[in-house]
Amino acid sequence: MTTLQQILPGAAATPRLTGLRRANRALRPARTAPGAVVAIALTAGMGMTAAELVSGLLGAPLGWVPVNEVVELAGRTAWPKLSTAALVVAGAGVLMVLLAVVPGRSRLVAVETSDPLIVIGITRSGLRRTLAAAAQQVAGVEKARVRLRRRTIEVTVVTDAESTGAMLRQVGTAVGDRLAGVGTLGTGEVVVRLRRKAL
């Protein structure tokens, strides 16, 4: 019996894409330091303001916040004079809150697992070293450098002057096989560039 998912052309890629999304969400680091700074600043500011208001209502102001001076300044100053400064402060506040709320860029590359409840990642530098080692195992390659882009993996190999385009295919195959062995998710296509060794 055939299901609708087996009939649809892109059905085989769905579990992989779902696993990639889940892994990216789990491996994305939280911005703990900016979040802590924003939380401490908001807590301190609101706590001081609340303490000042309560003590002022009780008839014994603490004097932490110069309320009378602020009220007088607000009465003397026209709004257009403060609009630029207010916009800058409000923009900085929104930026700090966004930095604290939006998660950072992941330093790990998701690895495929057979269990959907397990999420594993490999460091980007570790993946670069692994792929560079695979490229250097090809005969004639003296040195290899790997860059992980958003949609591609760039492999630059340094070789002697007698090398041909067949080496590019061999390096691409070696790097692709290593990627398949590691089982990384969503790494994109492999682009191999050849640099001749300076004589």
Side-chain angles (χ1 to χ4, degrees):
M1 183 169 146
T2 357
T3 63
L4 182 60
Q5 287 185 340
Q6 291 171 336
I7 296 171
L8 294 175
T14 306
R16 187 174 176 91
L17 290 176
T18 305
L20 177 62
R21 270 191 226 110
R22 185 179 63 250
N24 284 338
R25 200 171 25 244
L27 297 175
R28 190 174 295 153
R31 297 196 183 221
T32 309
V37 168
V38 169
I40 290 170
L42 287 176
T43 302
M46 295 298 176
M48 287 176 60
T49 305
E52 187 67 40
L53 287 174
V54 170
S55 65
L57 290 173
L58 294 176
L62 296 174
W64 292 348
V65 180
V67 177
N68 293 333
E69 288 82 0
V70 171
V71 170
E72 287 176 16
L73 180 65
R76 287 192 318 259
T77 310
W79 217 180
K81 295 180 187 174
L82 293 177
S83 61
T84 305
L87 285 174
V88 168
V89 171
V94 168
L95 181 65
M96 285 181 64
V97 170
L98 283 177
L99 276 175
V101 171
V102 176
R105 182 173 177 244
S106 177
R107 293 187 179 153
L108 299 173
V109 178
V111 175
E112 189 173 8
T113 60
S114 58
D115 188 350
L117 299 177
I118 296 176
V119 176
I120 298 175
I122 182 173
T123 62
R124 297 174 73 80
S125 60
L127 183 60
R128 280 196 302 267
R129 284 193 303 270
T130 300
L131 298 180
Q136 286 176 348
Q137 289 177 352
V138 175
V141 173
E142 307 223 351
K143 192 175 171 184
R145 189 180 75 212
V146 177
R147 287 185 181 172
L148 301 178
R149 305 277 186 198
R150 188 167 180 85
R151 299 280 181 222
T152 59
I153 297 174
E154 284 185 14
V155 182
T156 305
V157 294
V158 178
T159 183
D160 57 357
E162 290 85 27
S163 300
T164 63
M167 178 182 288
L168 292 177
R169 288 189 294 278
Q170 291 175 353
V171 170
T173 303
V175 171
D177 290 346
R178 183 65 57 91
L179 271 176
V182 172
T184 56
L185 292 169
T187 46
E189 67 174 332
V190 177
V191 177
V192 183
R193 300 191 195 303
L194 184 67
R195 272 183 45 197
R196 305 283 181 194
K197 186 177 176 184
L199 297 174

